[in-house]
């Protein structure tokens, strides 16, 4: 399941790597740090390079923290996938011109395109789970047992809050209309002038919310009427209806 990224990184045996094999796992972590990530200085990699040591899990735990990995040592597959992704990013950063000039892949000849791209995703893939969890952590979205549900929540958040249209709308300043509070009767007296003004403001805001709600109700009524209020007259039968 890591073959694609390992191949991109020119790993010596991408198809034979077994994440469950402790020796292969530790060797891969050391290789990634030595050859691709290079977060530590060479002289600081001793604990990580000491693969047979019983203290290696502690060194790996500290390493994950130092590179800001969102996964812990208990989430081995996710952590490996995240480290591979980090290595791929660094590899691209070191060879931008090389990969920029790569020819684009040909489009698939299969014309069957589903309306929902989430349908074709393998939600049980560790790569998929690691990517969804990483996005959820970045966007501060609560975790869910169903990774597809979590991905849909991420998509909704991006569409509603992070799309260019949403950002442009949020940055627009709404022009308010000056209101003379003394012209609006509160209907009761709190005994404090400041509290009276606050109560008037709250009442005006509430009225504004009710107006918006009424507008939405009217729009819903119009939409329903457009569906059901379409009578057809049959003069021969002398009645109105279908």
């Amino acid at each position: 399941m890591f073959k694609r990224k390992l191949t991109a990184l020119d790993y010596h045996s991408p198809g034979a790597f077994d994440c469950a094999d402790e020796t292969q796992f530790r060797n891969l972590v050391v290789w990634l740090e030595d050859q691709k990530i290079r977060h530590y200085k060479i002289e600081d990699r001793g604990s990580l390079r000491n693969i047979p040591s019983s203290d290696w899990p502690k060194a790996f735990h500290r390493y994950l923290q130092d590179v800001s990995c969102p996964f812990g040592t208990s989430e081995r597959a996710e952590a490996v996938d995240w480290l591979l992704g980090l290595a791929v990013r660094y590899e691209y950063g070191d060879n931008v011109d090389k990969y920029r000039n790569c020819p684009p892949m040909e489009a698939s000849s299969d014309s069957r395109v589903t309306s929902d791209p989430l349908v074709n995703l393998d939600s049980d893939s560790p790569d998929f789970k690691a990517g969804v969890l990483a996005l959820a952590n970045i966007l501060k979205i609560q975790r869910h047992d169903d990774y597809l549900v979590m991905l849909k929540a991420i998509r909704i958040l991006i569409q509603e809050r992070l799309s260019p249209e949403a950002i442009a709308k949020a940055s627009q300043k709404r022009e308010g209309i000056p209101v003379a509070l003394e012209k609006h009767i509160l209907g009761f007296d709190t005994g404090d002038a400041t509290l009276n003004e606050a109560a008037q403001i709250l009442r005006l805001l509430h009225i504004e919310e009710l107006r918006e709600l009424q507008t939405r109700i009217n729009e819903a009524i119009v939409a329903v009427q457009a569906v059901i209020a379409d009578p057809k007259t049959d003069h021969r039968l002398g009645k109105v209806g279908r």
Side-chain angles (χ1 to χ4, degrees):
M1 61 186 178
F2 306 111
K3 183 178 179 181
R4 183 166 54 91
K5 292 180 181 178
L6 289 171
T7 302
L9 294 170
D10 294 327
Y11 190 62
H12 53 82
S13 54
F17 173 71
D18 182 6
C19 187
D21 186 290
E22 191 66 28
T23 301
Q24 291 189 39
F25 165 66
R26 295 187 181 189
N27 277 316
L28 174 64
V29 172
V30 174
W31 182 83
L32 287 173
E33 170 58 21
D34 281 342
Q35 302 296 325
K36 304 298 179 180
I37 299 176
R38 300 188 290 274
H39 180 78
Y40 289 156
K41 295 179 180 179
I42 295 178
E43 58 270 20
D44 296 333
R45 300 174 189 170
S47 299
L48 204 61
R49 286 175 171 176
N50 191 8
I51 294 176
S53 173
S54 59
D55 291 332
W56 192 90
K58 296 180 181 178
F60 178 57
H61 176 72
R62 183 169 60 253
Y63 178 67
L64 292 179
Q65 291 180 330
D66 291 342
V67 296
S68 302
C69 178
F71 304 104
T73 54
S74 61
E75 302 167 296
R76 174 178 293 192
E78 290 84 354
V80 168
D81 185 73
W82 189 90
L83 290 174
L84 288 172
L86 181 65
V88 169
R89 189 175 68 184
Y90 286 157
E91 178 75 5
Y92 173 80
D94 292 339
N95 302 276
V96 175
D97 294 334
K98 172 185 173 182
Y99 295 110
R100 182 180 295 165
N101 297 325
C102 289
M105 296 180 63
E106 294 183 1
S108 174
S109 58
D110 189 355
S111 60
R112 294 172 297 176
V113 179
T114 177
S115 59
D116 188 356
L118 301 184
V119 174
N120 295 326
L121 292 176
D122 181 8
S123 59
D124 294 325
S125 167
D127 292 349
F128 171 79
K129 293 180 179 179
V132 171
L133 283 176
L135 281 173
N137 290 334
I138 292 173
L139 298 174
K140 307 298 182 184
I141 292 178
Q142 185 175 358
R143 293 194 179 190
H144 192 280
D145 293 337
D146 190 333
Y147 286 81
L148 280 176
V149 171
M150 196 153 42
L151 182 59
K152 288 179 180 178
I154 291 171
R155 181 176 66 176
I156 292 172
L157 175 64
I158 292 175
Q159 289 176 340
E160 293 186 354
R161 300 290 181 86
L162 301 179
S163 65
E165 296 80 6
I167 294 175
K169 184 177 180 180
S171 62
Q172 292 178 351
K173 294 183 179 179
R174 298 180 63 181
E175 294 291 337
I177 301 175
V179 176
L181 292 179
E182 62 274 8
K183 293 183 179 180
H184 296 271
I185 301 174
L186 181 57
F188 61 88
D189 186 8
T190 64
D192 185 289
T194 303
L195 288 178
N196 286 343
E197 288 188 359
Q200 286 177 307
I201 293 172
L202 289 174
R203 171 168 287 185
L204 290 173
L205 290 174
H206 180 59
I207 292 173
E208 179 64 24
E209 290 177 351
L210 289 177
R211 286 174 177 170
E212 181 151 355
L213 176 61
Q214 185 62 55
T215 300
R216 294 183 180 181
I217 292 174
N218 292 340
E219 291 174 351
I221 293 174
V222 170
V224 172
Q225 288 178 340
V227 175
I228 64 174
D230 185 19
K232 295 183 179 180
T233 303
D234 189 339
H235 297 286
R236 296 172 301 174
L237 300 177
K239 67 177 182 179
V240 177
R242 294 182 183 276

